[in-house]
């Protein structure tokens, strides 16, 4: 067992950290305030190979391992949490399943553009009435001759407003339950597909979260990803990887909040001394540092298992559960250390607190992670 990053992983960490500090951190507050999609920043991330970090070089990817993905996601999210989720969805929920289940023609058609940043992907599983119970898909896919006809709507679509490619699940045969769910790759400009409401949110405001409505969307048969009935397995498997990404996003947010609170504690004086001299503050910082480290270890373990081709779903759920709840605790304490300034927009502490909260909800709520972990505990 070894806990150190390899030389390549370390180099990537340094490169992405420098990029995030110089390019993302200075504009993160403005992007949040204006709810502005970070187009230029995402283009720079793509140049660094971050939009297809685990995809093989032959499909335009960076050919790196899942630990690199986790490391890069932590750094990007420390700079800008919205950039983190944009990157995570493209990598884990779009590029990864196309790589795993796509035909050679689908890989050639979609991956080079998605990995190079020429296009952006989004993922559709949730619906207005279907969230945690992902098997209850009501979006319908009917095969009519040599076409698939899709009708329904999808909710909470990260990147929905800017995306070019939609990887989406729909019910093809209700009588088969979860085995009747199919996955499709749909160009966003397909007639009948409309990007509807763009949600106003508490945090990650620079990323879009939309509804997508599908009315008689007609697709050729080769829009199907994998085989008929593979959709649920594809969605669940992709989310296993996605949970490593979101856990790393939570970690990056928490680390940034911790570092800013620590630095502030060394400067801010009260009762004749820097507040960092008081145990009340030191104990908070100690707990924050310990929890951040624990989350990172859980994340790197899940990522290493994925990289080794081993089962990693329950470990990814543990990493995501712990890291997301940790990020809420850490960002809460960071505000406490800043006091009134933490509550004001003068410092970024309040943004970190708002950005952290979603990590307990998307790509499986904390309750769903406990369900996955609990089922694993009972059967292993
Ligand atoms: N990998 C592969 N297959 C899996 C799997 C996994 N991780 N988990 C389950 N399956 C398979 C099972 O093996 C089973 O197949 P078999 O019958 O052949 O064994 C089948 O799927 C059904 O599994 P379950 O009986 O466990 O299904 P369930 O209905 O009880 O649901 C659940 C399981 C864990 C609750 C699941 O519905 C779930 O994860 N829900 C949360 C959904 C979620 O995370 N949504 C996030 C939305 S996406 C998002 O947020 C994106 C964004 O833009 C940020």
């Amino acid at each position: 067992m070894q806990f150190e990053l390899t030389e390549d992983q370390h180099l990537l960490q340094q490169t992405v950290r420098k990029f995030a500090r110089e390019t993302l951190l200075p504009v993160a507050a403005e992007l949040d305030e204006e709810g502005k999609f970070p187009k230029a920043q995402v283009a720079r991330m793509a140049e660094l190979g971050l939009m297809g970090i685990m995809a093989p070089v032959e499909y335009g990817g960076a050919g790196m391992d899942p630990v690199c993905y986790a490391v890069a996601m932590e750094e990007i999210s420390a700079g800008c949490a919205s950039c983190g989720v944009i990157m995570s969805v493209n990598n884990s929920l779009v590029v990864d399943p196309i790589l795993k289940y796509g035909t050679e023609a689908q890989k050639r058609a979609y991956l080079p553009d998605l990995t190079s940043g020429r296009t952006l992907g989004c993922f559709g599983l949730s619906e207005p009435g279907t969230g945690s119970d992902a098997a209850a898909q009501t979006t319908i896919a009917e095969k009519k001759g040599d076409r698939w006809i899709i009708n329904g709507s999808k909710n909470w679509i990260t990147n929905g407003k800017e995306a070019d490619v939609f990887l989406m699940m729909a019910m093809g045969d209700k009588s088969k339950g979860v085995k009747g769910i199919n996955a499709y790759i749909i160009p966003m400009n397909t007639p009948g597909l409309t990007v509807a409401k763009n949600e106003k949110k508490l945090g990650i405001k620079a990323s879009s979260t939309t509804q997508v409505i599908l009315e008689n969307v007609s697709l050729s048969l080769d829009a199907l990803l994998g085989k008929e009935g593979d959709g649920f397995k594809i969605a669940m498997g992709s989310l296993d990887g996605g949970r490593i990404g979101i856990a790393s996003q939570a970690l990056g947010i928490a680390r940034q909040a911790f570092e800013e609170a620590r630095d502030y504690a060394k400067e801010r004086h009260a009762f004749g001394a820097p507040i960092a001299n008081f145990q009340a503050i030191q104990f908070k910082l100690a707990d924050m540092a310990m929890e951040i480290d624990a989350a990172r270890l859980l994340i790197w373990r899940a990522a290493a298992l994925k990289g080794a081709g081993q089962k990693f779903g329950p470990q990814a759920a543990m990493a995501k559960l712990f890291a997301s709840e940790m990020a809420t605790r850490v960002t809460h304490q960071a505000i406490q250390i800043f006091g009134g300034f933490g509550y004001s927009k003068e410092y970024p502490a309040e943004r970190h607190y708002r950005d952290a909260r979603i990590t307990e909800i998307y790509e499986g709520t904390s309750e769903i992670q406990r369900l996955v972990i609990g089922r694993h505990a009972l059967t292993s």
Side-chain angles (χ1 to χ4, degrees):
M1 186 178 293
Q2 60 123 343
F3 295 99
E4 293 303 311
L5 294 175
T6 64
E7 213 176 307
D8 285 350
Q9 290 163 345
H10 183 69
L11 185 65
L12 175 83
Q13 183 185 50
Q14 297 308 310
T15 307
V16 184
R17 184 170 296 174
K18 185 169 183 299
F19 165 78
R21 285 192 176 153
E22 290 174 0
T23 313
L24 305 183
L25 204 51
V27 295
E30 184 190 328
L31 292 170
D32 169 73
E33 193 65 29
E34 295 177 5
K36 192 169 140 199
F37 184 79
K39 195 167 187 266
Q41 289 76 14
V42 172
R44 296 278 309 277
M45 285 157 57
E47 280 168 24
L48 287 176
L50 303 180
M51 297 307 278
I53 192 163
M54 293 171 289
V57 176
E58 60 174 311
Y59 298 116
M64 294 185 190
D65 61 35
V67 173
C68 287
Y69 173 50
V71 163
M73 270 295 302
E74 176 185 337
E75 298 305 328
I76 291 295
S77 305
C80 164
S82 296
C83 296
V85 72
I86 294 163
M87 171 178 158
S88 181
V89 167
N90 199 67
N91 276 279
S92 294
L93 302 186
V94 185
V95 169
D96 231 25
I98 295 177
L99 257 178
K100 194 162 172 201
Y101 291 96
T103 60
E104 193 52 36
Q106 287 171 328
K107 291 182 196 175
R108 298 264 165 230
Y110 291 105
L111 292 179
D113 286 343
L114 283 166
T115 55
S116 65
R118 284 191 292 276
T119 59
L120 184 68
C122 63
F123 176 85
L125 178 66
S126 302
E127 300 177 350
T130 308
S132 289
D133 185 7
Q137 295 286 302
T138 60
T139 295
I140 302 296
E142 286 175 280
K143 201 190 257 180
K144 289 191 176 163
D146 61 354
R147 308 295 292 175
W148 282 106
I149 309 296
I150 318 275
N151 279 289
S153 61
K154 294 286 170 183
N155 264 39
W156 315 118
I157 309 304
T158 302
N159 297 341
K161 198 156 155 272
E162 299 79 18
D164 308 279
V165 179
F166 193 28
L167 199 152
M168 193 210 73
M169 269 43 72
M171 182 59 84
D173 186 346
K174 203 161 187 254
S175 68
K176 293 186 178 158
V178 290
K179 299 275 190 307
I181 298 171
N182 302 332
Y184 298 90
I185 314 174
I186 311 179
M188 290 292 279
N189 59 6
T190 306
L193 187 155
T194 317
V195 177
K197 192 171 136 206
N198 190 10
E199 304 289 344
K200 290 193 181 351
K201 310 189 292 280
L202 177 70
I204 55 159
K205 291 184 178 205
S207 68
S208 69
T209 308
T210 72
Q211 187 176 32
V212 172
I213 296 172
L214 303 110
E215 286 171 307
N216 291 319
V217 170
S218 173
L219 306 169
S220 58
L221 295 183
D222 61 9
L224 183 77
L225 180 64
K227 297 193 298 297
E228 280 183 56
D230 277 351
F232 195 70
K233 190 175 68 179
I234 293 174
M236 292 298 113
S238 305
L239 284 166
D240 284 343
R243 288 166 186 166
I244 295 175
I246 299 304
S248 307
Q249 183 199 25
L251 173 61
I253 296 167
R255 192 194 80 201
Q256 186 62 29
F258 165 78
E259 288 177 359
E260 288 166 4
R262 177 200 61 197
D263 295 348
Y264 179 78
K266 289 196 266 188
E267 284 165 16
R268 170 77 181 181
H269 282 66
F271 307 104
I275 61 171
N277 284 15
F278 302 117
Q279 280 192 341
I281 300 298
Q282 288 172 10
F283 284 3
K284 282 191 200 304
L285 291 170
D287 286 344
M288 291 156 86
M290 172 187 67
E291 290 213 69
I292 287 168
D293 224 24
R296 189 178 290 112
L297 290 172
L298 282 171
I299 293 167
W300 286 4
R301 178 185 65 170
L305 286 172
K306 181 171 192 253
Q310 292 179 34
K311 190 172 155 63
F312 69 95
Q315 290 78 11
M318 285 186 194
K320 201 265 191 186
L321 173 61
F322 185 80
S324 59
E325 294 191 345
M326 173 281 292
T328 295
R329 287 192 292 272
V330 165
T331 55
H332 175 99
Q333 290 296 11
I335 290 184
Q336 202 66 18
I337 292 171
F338 275 100
F341 288 114
Y343 197 68
S344 86
K345 284 194 179 285
E346 199 166 323
Y347 286 88
E350 61 84 29
R351 172 166 49 85
H352 301 320
Y353 183 67
R354 289 186 287 105
D355 285 343
R357 191 63 179 83
I358 187 59
T359 64
E360 290 183 66
I361 297 171
Y362 59 20
E363 303 207 15
T365 60
S366 289
E367 291 71 21
I368 289 296
Q369 308 311 323
R370 287 191 166 86
L371 186 147
V372 170
I373 297 162
R375 284 181 181 177
H376 173 70
L378 287 168
T379 53
S380 58

